[in-house]
Amino acid sequence: MFGDMMGMMSKIKEAQQKVEETKKRLNTVLVDEESTDGLLKITLTANREIKNIDIANSLLEDKEQLEDYLILTLNKAISKASKINESELAAVAKEGMPNIPGLDKFME
C-alpha cells in the first residue's frame, strides 16, 4: 500500500510539472480576434495576455465607438483564449493523474 501511495505521489508530481510546462507553452499560442468589419484586430496568448491591438484610423474619431469595439472584441478574444487554455490544461491534468477509484466521478 505504501508503494502505491508513493507511486501516486510521483504521478501527481509529474502531472503538476506537465501542467506548468503547458502553461509556458500556452504563452506561445496566439489567438487572433477582430471586429466584424475588421476595424479592430486583437492578438493575445492562450494565457490571456494581450500582445497586439490594431485600430483603424476611422475608429479614433469616435471615443464611444472605439470603447464599444474594444469591449466586444476583447471579450470575444478572451473567451476564445480561455477555452483553449482550459481544454489544454484539463487534458494534461487528466492525463497525468493516477488512477484513484471514484476520482473521475468527483472531478465531473
Side-chain angles (χ1 to χ4, degrees):
M1 180 168 177
F2 185 69
D4 290 344
M5 186 66 113
M6 292 301 289
M8 280 193 278
M9 293 302 288
S10 175
K11 276 199 151 237
I12 289 172
K13 197 171 228 176
E14 285 176 31
Q16 288 173 331
Q17 185 176 353
K18 286 183 180 183
V19 166
E20 289 305 314
E21 290 169 3
T22 301
K23 284 180 182 179
K24 286 180 186 173
R25 185 180 58 77
L26 289 174
N27 281 328
T28 65
V29 176
L30 298 179
V31 176
D32 294 313
E33 188 61 59
E34 65 180 66
S35 59
T36 53
D37 55 10
L39 296 178
L40 178 67
K41 297 175 184 171
I42 295 173
T43 301
L44 64 155
T45 70
N47 281 328
R48 297 169 296 261
E49 180 181 321
I50 297 170
K51 289 296 190 180
N52 188 50
I53 297 178
D54 183 26
I55 302 170
N57 288 335
S58 62
L59 284 178
L60 298 176
E61 297 167 9
D62 185 342
K63 181 180 181 285
E64 277 187 37
Q65 183 183 21
L66 175 57
E67 290 169 347
D68 289 343
Y69 269 67
L70 283 167
I71 290 168
L72 291 171
T73 310
L74 278 167
N75 281 335
K76 286 193 319 189
I78 290 168
S79 177
K80 192 186 290 186
S82 292
K83 286 178 184 170
I84 293 169
N85 183 289
E86 290 166 10
S87 67
E88 291 283 325
L89 290 176
V92 169
K94 186 173 183 178
E95 170 190 308
M97 288 301 290
N99 187 16
I100 300 171
L103 182 63
D104 40 338
K105 290 179 184 175
F106 177 73
M107 298 296 282
E108 291 177 351

